[in-house]
Amino acid sequence: MLFHVTHTHSYQTCPAHNPEIKAQISNSLKTASEKGVELKMVTVDGPGHAFFMLLEADSYEAIMNFFEPLLEIGDADIRPVMDFAAVLDLSKNWDK
């Protein structure tokens, strides 16, 4: 399953200002596979204090386990998503 995540934080909780939080985020990203999560894409909007991620996992539970340490610094909007080509193939039979 694919999941699109928008993780936001405030200026006050920004990892750029705290070496411990930076290390925590780095460790979370490095150990994602150990928690059953594959990082497909991770991008950052620094001035907007947001991370954008595309993750793959077999379950939502794996995603929750991956995010547990990151929730201390902000909020995560986690949405299951599908590849657009797969949706087009799936939708071929919707009108029948």
Side-chain angles (χ1 to χ4, degrees), residues 62-78:
I63 298 294
M64 291 286 295
N65 191 38
F66 168 72
F67 268 98
E68 193 283 322
L70 300 177
L71 294 176
E72 292 180 28
I73 64 163
D75 299 312
D77 179 30
I78 304 169

Side-chain angles (χ1 to χ4, degrees), residues 9-22 49:
H9 54 271
S10 68
Y11 177 84
Q12 291 77 16
T13 61
C14 184
H17 306 291
N18 187 322
E20 289 177 20
I21 293 176
K22 277 197 278 192
H49 299 280

Side-chain angles (χ1 to χ4, degrees), residues 5-68:
V5 179
T6 302
H7 187 274
T8 58
H9 54 271
S10 68
Y11 177 84
Q12 291 77 16
T13 61
C14 184
H17 306 291
N18 187 322
E20 289 177 20
I21 293 176
K22 277 197 278 192
Q24 185 177 1
I25 291 172
S26 179
N27 187 56
S28 291
L29 296 176
K30 288 178 185 175
T31 61
S33 63
E34 296 171 15
K35 295 180 178 182
V37 175
E38 181 182 347
L39 305 173
K40 296 286 196 176
M41 176 196 75
V42 179
T43 59
V44 178
D45 170 10
H49 299 280
F51 292 90
F52 303 96
M53 302 177 189
L54 183 61
L55 310 175
E56 186 169 2
D58 290 335
S59 68
Y60 188 75
E61 289 81 5
I63 298 294
M64 291 286 295
N65 191 38
F66 168 72
F67 268 98
E68 193 283 322

